[in-house]
Amino acid sequence: AGENVDTRVEPASITKVMTSYVIAAEIASGKVKNEDQVLMSERAWREGGARTDGSFSGFPVNQRAPLHDMEVGMAVQSGNDAAIALAEHVAGTQEAFADLMNSYAARIGMGGSHFVNAHGLSAPEHYSTAHDLARLGQAFIRDYPEAYAYNSIKEFTVNGITQPNRNLLLWRDPSVDGIKTGHHSGAGYCLMSSAKRGDQRLIAVVMGAGSERQRADDSLALLNWGFRFYETHKLYEPGKPVAQLKVWKGKADQAQLGVTAPLLVSVPRGRYAELKPSMEVPKSLVAPIAAGQPVGTVKVTLDGQVVAQAPLVAIAAVEEAGFFKRLWDAFWMWWESD
């Protein structure tokens, strides 16, 4: 469900979800570590600290703190100072970090977004869309669940100051575990939220609400509507064959194809039986085939629209056969192609 989902808007502090995603990705690649000591620079303190009108974490200026603590301060307290300090630590400058944000946004598929800072305060050419932010939330939960979990923390203390998480839904509904609030005069009150009930997870994005309460009420209404009228099914699991394909010149004559991650689909309740799966694969393969090698795509449609898709890969390797088997298969490949 959506309204004006692709309209460019100011994302305010929801920007920090993109910042968190980049940091998690850089940690995963080994470029930074949770144990790194991050400097609260003069610039970070002046532009995002307690003397500004925005939200802050309160880390002392010109002192260092573990990256993990800074990131939790950014996620829970929405600290602009922590966001700038983290950006400087990861990329040298906030401007260079913004380039990283845009690079990762492109990989996620956020075609309607552009970032120029790590905190989300109003700036020319800093924008996103509700649709893109939903994609970002989905990617964050899927790719870096440990970092995502920081968003469910209800309060955090820095330098003797305890501040609560501004996401009111964390107190209203136990199924809600994130994600991020945002607010400034140009953006209004914003909330990217997510909840998991059973095996089903949904994401809601509300932008430009009139108050903190309204963004929470509207978000919970969207989530409740989604859980009431939609159901989620796991169609395929990793490591289990979805299909098999003929292999030429291999020690085995068939390659088992499967998915690398669970393929889930959410559909209107009662319409699961109407789903139609299809596969786009070549007619045959030629060995050697490596385990995990992409081979094709599985797609699932409802009413002619693709509702889920995933790459198909070889579950196990198929080694190249000996000389005579390869020669024999080469003959039959020629014969069948004639």
Side-chain angles (χ1 to χ4, degrees):
E3 181 177 337
N4 301 321
V5 295
D6 294 312
T7 300
R8 291 179 177 179
V9 294
E10 295 189 69
S13 281
I14 295 180
T15 296
K16 296 184 179 83
V17 180
M18 188 76 246
T19 301
S20 293
Y21 186 93
V22 173
I23 293 168
E26 295 294 287
I27 290 174
S29 67
K31 296 176 182 176
V32 294
K33 299 178 180 178
N34 275 316
E35 300 77 25
D36 287 357
Q37 294 296 308
V38 177
L39 175 68
M40 177 56 66
S41 69
E42 186 83 18
R43 177 185 179 182
W45 180 74
R46 289 190 180 278
E47 293 185 13
R51 295 187 178 184
T52 66
D53 291 332
S55 51
F56 67 96
S57 294
F59 292 96
V61 63
N62 292 324
Q63 294 188 30
R64 296 180 182 272
L67 183 149
H68 170 270
D69 292 357
M70 283 256 188
E71 190 172 3
V72 174
M74 179 180 68
V76 177
Q77 303 166 328
S78 197
N80 296 325
D81 49 354
I84 299 171
L86 287 164
E88 292 174 339
H89 180 78
V90 171
T93 66
Q94 184 174 212
E95 290 73 19
F97 186 83
D99 290 337
L100 278 178
M101 296 171 74
N102 290 318
S103 176
Y104 280 106
R107 297 182 203 180
I108 294 170
M110 300 172 65
S113 300
H114 186 261
F115 301 98
V116 300
N117 62 53
H119 43 68
L121 293 177
S122 185
E125 297 304 306
H126 188 90
Y127 55 81
S128 189
T129 70
H131 200 171
D132 276 4
L133 294 174
R135 288 190 180 103
L136 171 60
Q138 182 185 49
F140 194 26
I141 294 165
R142 178 193 66 222
D143 298 341
Y144 306 110
E146 290 185 5
Y148 171 73
Y150 301 157
N151 296 277
S152 65
I153 298 173
K154 292 184 176 180
E155 64 179 26
F156 190 61
T157 301
V158 174
N159 201 23
I161 302 173
T162 300
Q163 296 186 67
N165 194 315
R166 292 170 172 79
N167 184 357
L168 298 180
L169 296 188
L170 294 175
W171 283 267
R172 288 193 192 179
D173 190 319
S175 70
V176 173
D177 56 12
I179 306 176
K180 187 74 189 73
T181 60
H183 170 256
H184 61 62
S185 59
Y189 290 85
C190 312
L191 177 57
M192 178 203 292
S193 57
S194 184
K196 186 176 182 182
R197 301 177 186 175
D199 291 332
Q200 186 175 20
R201 175 180 289 282
L202 296 178
I203 294 169
V205 179
V206 170
M207 309 298 291
S211 67
E212 188 174 13
R213 180 174 179 176
Q214 183 188 348
R215 72 184 176 190
D217 290 347
D218 292 348
S219 295
L220 190 56
L222 281 169
L223 291 170
N224 285 335
W225 176 85
F227 283 116
R228 170 65 180 84
F229 292 104
Y230 280 77
E231 57 189 3
T232 298
H233 296 271
K234 183 185 294 183
L235 303 182
Y236 306 112
E237 294 187 13
K240 294 187 177 181
V242 174
Q244 60 182 18
L245 198 62
K246 182 176 179 58
V247 177
W248 296 103
K249 302 182 181 182
K251 289 184 177 180
D253 293 328
Q254 302 283 341
Q256 300 290 332
L257 307 183
V259 294
T260 58
L263 182 59
L264 304 171
V265 61
S266 294
V267 295
R269 289 194 178 276
R271 302 199 63 189
Y272 173 69
E274 299 175 43
L275 293 174
K276 296 181 179 180
S278 63
M279 289 178 289
E280 296 177 357
V281 295
K283 292 182 179 180
S284 60
L285 299 170
V286 178
I289 307 297
Q293 178 177 323
V295 174
T297 304
V298 58
K299 294 183 178 181
V300 182
T301 61
L302 181 66
D303 295 334
Q305 300 293 317
V306 176
V307 293
Q309 63 179 349
L312 283 173
V313 302
I315 294 176
V318 179
E319 297 181 4
E320 191 176 54
F323 173 76
F324 290 105
K325 175 70 159 53
R326 298 201 311 272
L327 185 64
W328 182 251
D329 280 3
F331 168 76
W332 282 107
M333 288 175 68
W334 167 80
W335 180 267
E336 292 189 5
S337 66
D338 186 19

